[in-house]
Amino acid sequence: MFEKAFRVKSNTVIKGSDRRKLKVDISTSFPSLSAEELSDLVPNKEELNVVKIYAHKGDAVTLYVLHKNPVFFELEKRIYPTVYTLWRYPHVLPAFTTWPPVIQKLAGGADLMLPGVVVPSGGLPEVKKGDCCAVKVVGNKAPVAVGTATMTTAEMRSLAMKGRGVSILHSYLDSLWAFGDKSGPPCIPDVDTEGVEGGFLEEEDGQEATEADAEEPYSSSNADDILDSPCPGLQEISLADREEEGEKGIEERDSRNIRGEQMDALLLQCFLHALKSKVKKSELPLLTSTFLRIHMFSCCPNGKQLDIKKSSYKKLSKFLQSMQQEHRLVKVKELSKGVESIVEVDWKNRELRSFCSPEDPGIEEAPVEVGGGGERPYRPPEITSLYSVSSRLEPLFQDANIRKGTVLQPAEVRTIITDYVKRNELVDDTNKNYVIINPILCDCLLEKSEYQDVEALKWDDLFSRTLDKMQHCHQLVFPGLPPVVRKGPLEPIDITVASRGSNKKVTIIKNLEVYGLDPVAVSVALQHRVQASSALNPVPGSKDRVSVQIQGNQVQQVGKLLLDMYQIPRKYIQGLDNKVQKPGKKK
């Protein structure tokens, strides 16, 4: 369960009532604990923390932590002791014995198999299926793992010690052990298995398991003294594991250093390129954030991504401070509280003058693809507004043999209504711009309050009322694909700006799928444009739609992407007015 790192949800101090309840639950689950031992594990006046975590598989677990060591953990309303508790009181649980090399397998998530269990002469501990039990190694009574029995002791014997014996929940060297002080198991001599350990060393290639004498009862009176004496065999395993982790850590650190040096070089290149080819003297003073977003990012070579957090500087202010003090390229001042600006550039600086712009300036936009993975280039659909005949208007269209649900274009509706008016001689003789209302037109187009008052309608009013009473539809025609007709008005691409904690802005784009746009491809294109992180989130209430979220107020860049690259008509984009207002300008 704890073979991989877990996520901490909360860490609070236990309440008095919860402390008393915990004591009762532990006393009920582990009756072999004396009152003194129970008070030692759950003291009345010392701080005991309740840590709620999520294991890597999503299981909700509660830890009880004393003196920075987890002493118990609760899973599905059942309490289990940790190895830190069992090292002090190994008699709490029945224990199965195995060989030291098995420990690393258990820490990696493996269960204890019965062929690897050492059977003492006194027999196996008596357990029932689901009972909590411990695992120890030959020659040491200090348990190294906690789990539940997968079968009864009788079943283990009947199966000739084959199969899975103990389902491991927690073990020495796993992430729950690492949550504590990472101390090693103490050496609690187990004289009954000393001969077994020697036999294993002499006959290592022979038997899988050997027999030993029955275990003697353990007294906890000298537990504190025993805990100070680590077990040599287990200490070697721990040291070897830590050395391996140390070597991996050194390799990872070296790799990070190399990546940091590469990012530093890319930063300097983009900085010099921006100063030499983008920034003009008339633009000074220039906000440092604007310089980074507009000028430096646009100078990043194709196929690379500029990320200050991955450099050795970590922050833009530290990088510019280095450019000012060490390279003497710019002068940065804080013109207003918390806002820095580049106020001066040394255009005659030798390093700046000798810099040659790379042949691949800026990020070139890749051909826009529907799926972003080698499919045909994206082309906007042809969008047509349509209208469906409703049940209320069906009598008006009966003469044209058009029934309810038929989808028509606006021009077709206009022609049918004109023919109906002329066929029934409804044009006003005194004013040809008006149409006389007959009973069918009255029922189909007028409201009840208008029945007595309205006797005629203008042609334009007649057509507009007809279209308003019909059901709105739309047709999308993608190149090379059959037309798609959908009921309801066409949803526009929605662009909104939201706040996410401490007034940080994010831009959210929805309804891209309606226009055949792949949200993943749009997200990648935006990342390259603005050099900011993006994410895809499911749209609530919709099974097959996701929204694109990108850091900052990027409405202007999103608008350019949709209008220029994807050629989506402006009337189908909602929220373009949410862009950042320039200083001194108000809506």
Side-chain angles (χ1 to χ4, degrees), residues 14-297:
I14 195 170
K15 298 178 182 178
S17 57
D18 293 336
R19 189 190 298 261
R20 290 190 293 271
K21 182 178 181 301
L22 177 62
K23 272 191 171 183
V24 173
D25 292 342
I26 294 174
S27 178
T28 304
S29 301
F30 311 107
S32 59
L33 279 173
S34 64
E36 183 181 350
E37 292 168 345
L38 184 59
S39 298
D40 186 34
L41 292 171
V42 188
N44 292 326
K45 296 184 178 180
E46 295 185 35
E47 185 175 292
L48 182 68
N49 288 66
V50 180
V51 182
K52 294 186 177 181
I53 66 170
Y54 287 113
H56 72 283
K57 291 184 178 180
D59 298 302
V61 185
T62 301
L63 309 182
Y64 297 96
V65 181
L66 177 67
H67 301 152
K68 298 183 179 180
N69 279 341
V71 287
F72 291 96
F73 66 95
E74 185 176 345
L75 174 65
E76 296 179 352
K77 298 183 179 181
R78 184 175 180 182
I79 294 180
Y80 301 89
T82 66
V83 290
Y84 291 108
T85 297
L86 294 177
W87 291 344
R88 299 184 66 83
Y89 308 108
H91 64 286
V92 170
L93 296 178
F96 291 89
T97 307
T98 188
W99 306 104
V102 177
I103 298 175
Q104 288 179 314
K105 301 292 184 183
L106 301 182
D111 292 329
L112 180 64
M113 307 304 288
L114 290 177
V117 174
V118 176
V119 183
S121 59
L124 295 171
E126 291 296 329
V127 295
K128 296 179 182 178
K129 184 178 180 180
D131 281 358
C132 185
C133 52
V135 179
K136 61 180 182 176
V137 297
V138 172
N140 190 3
K141 285 188 177 182
V144 293
V146 180
T148 56
T150 60
M151 61 184 81
T152 64
T153 306
E155 289 172 337
M156 293 180 187
R157 295 192 195 98
S158 64
L159 292 174
M161 297 303 291
K162 292 182 181 179
R164 188 162 55 99
V166 180
S167 179
I168 301 299
L169 297 175
H170 155 56
S171 70
Y172 169 55
L173 298 178
D174 67 6
S175 59
L176 180 56
W177 166 83
F179 193 68
D181 59 15
K182 299 183 182 180
S183 57
C187 188
I188 306 175
D190 189 1
V191 294
D192 297 332
T193 56
E194 283 182 357
V196 174
E197 185 176 12
F200 173 74
L201 294 173
E202 291 171 5
E203 303 176 12
E204 189 172 2
D205 299 329
Q207 300 176 346
E208 266 189 38
T210 55
E211 295 185 350
D213 297 330
E215 297 181 3
E216 293 181 357
Y218 168 75
S219 174
S220 62
S221 59
N222 59 344
D224 293 335
D225 297 332
I226 291 174
L227 284 175
D228 296 331
S229 57
C231 182
L234 298 181
Q235 192 178 31
E236 288 175 6
I237 294 175
S238 179
L239 287 173
D241 188 68
R242 291 180 187 177
E243 285 175 5
E244 186 178 348
E245 289 179 358
E247 290 174 1
K248 290 181 180 178
I250 292 171
E251 291 177 2
E252 290 176 1
R253 187 163 58 251
D254 291 343
S255 177
R256 283 197 300 268
N257 290 338
I258 293 171
R259 290 197 298 268
E261 291 173 1
Q262 293 173 347
M263 188 58 67
D264 290 350
L266 182 61
L267 266 176
L268 181 59
Q269 174 188 322
C270 295
F271 177 77
L272 294 173
H273 189 184
L275 287 181
K276 191 161 186 176
S277 61
K278 301 287 184 179
V279 179
K280 298 178 182 179
K281 194 172 182 179
S282 58
E283 294 180 358
L284 301 179
L286 180 64
L287 288 174
T288 56
S289 57
T290 303
F291 173 70
L292 174 68
R293 187 176 67 253
I294 303 300
H295 299 303
M296 285 186 65
F297 282 156

Side-chain angles (χ1 to χ4, degrees), residues 326-342:
E326 298 177 15
H327 297 260
R328 301 187 182 277
L329 284 162
V330 293
K331 190 174 182 180
V332 181
K333 278 189 177 181
E334 191 175 4
L335 298 181
S336 59
K337 188 176 181 181
V339 180
E340 292 184 338
S341 298
I342 299 174

Side-chain angles (χ1 to χ4, degrees), residues 444-455:
C444 292
L445 303 181
L446 298 185
E447 302 296 334
K448 289 185 177 180
S449 59
E450 298 175 322
Y451 285 177
Q452 304 299 325
D453 301 329
V454 179
E455 296 180 354

